[in-house]
Amino acid sequence: MPRGTSKKQETPRAEDYLEAVYHLLEDKGYANTVDVSERLEVKPPTVSNMVAKLAARGYLLHQPYRGMRLTESGEKIARSVIRRHEIISEFLSMIGVEGGVAYEDTEGIEHHVQPTTIYRIERLVEFLRRNPSHLAEIKKYVSK
């Protein structure tokens, strides 16, 4: 069975928050409500509400005025979202979808694709990387 086929996905919005916290921790070494608010373009009280929910679900640890960090399960979800994003983005790029369209489509797809589907897309991307002649044929075909 492909990896992750039994994984229960969190809501798209919760995944966005976990991904934002992950990136902030990677980029700055810390994450706080204001930073998450700016990154996701939502108001700080909205962030506070979601952070409380995510903490209650065991995805992150939050200390008011001191910041937050992901738990192991929160980090696992964040990494999964990031990986799905990378795979879908690469696939769309391979078939010639460019720029803003590719970004918007990736954002829309990444939260709604089932683990078994993402596994198959990942395998297809791997195949096309290893077989550039097939990729060239596909690009020619889809750009007609």
Side-chain angles (χ1 to χ4, degrees):
M1 178 173 357
R3 345 177 230 154
T5 53
S6 63
K7 179 179 96 55
K8 177 197 173 291
Q9 287 184 299
E10 192 51 63
T11 66
R13 200 67 191 142
E15 288 182 342
D16 285 340
Y17 275 82
L18 294 170
E19 180 181 12
V21 170
Y22 181 90
H23 283 301
L24 286 165
L25 292 169
E26 289 288 307
D27 296 346
K28 297 174 80 171
Y30 65 90
N32 60 38
T33 303
V34 173
D35 292 328
V36 175
S37 171
E38 289 172 1
R39 186 169 283 241
L40 295 178
E41 299 178 350
V42 296
K43 295 182 179 180
T46 304
V47 173
S48 295
N49 288 337
M50 180 59 90
V51 165
K53 288 177 186 175
L54 293 171
R57 293 179 193 155
Y59 296 131
L60 58 80
L61 302 172
H62 179 242
Q63 295 178 323
Y65 310 106
R66 299 195 71 193
M68 62 192 85
R69 66 183 176 87
L70 296 170
T71 63
E72 188 176 321
S73 60
E75 185 172 332
K76 185 176 180 179
I77 290 172
R79 286 179 184 264
S80 173
V81 173
I82 292 163
R83 185 69 189 133
R84 288 193 315 258
H85 183 101
E86 291 169 348
I87 292 165
I88 293 164
S89 180
E90 184 175 359
F91 174 70
L92 293 177
S93 174
M94 284 179 155
I95 62 171
V97 180
E98 296 180 3
V101 172
Y103 179 80
E104 290 295 320
D105 286 347
T106 299
E107 288 296 311
I109 294 168
E110 72 184 4
H111 297 295
H112 302 288
V113 64
Q114 296 296 315
T116 189
T117 304
I118 199 68
Y119 173 78
R120 290 176 187 271
I121 293 171
E122 182 178 33
R123 299 286 294 144
L124 177 58
V125 166
E126 288 173 13
F127 174 82
L128 293 173
R129 267 194 235 121
R130 291 182 184 148
N131 296 279
S133 63
H134 290 317
L135 178 57
E137 287 296 314
I138 289 170
K139 281 184 176 180
K140 273 196 288 188
Y141 185 80
V142 298
S143 62
K144 289 182 184 178

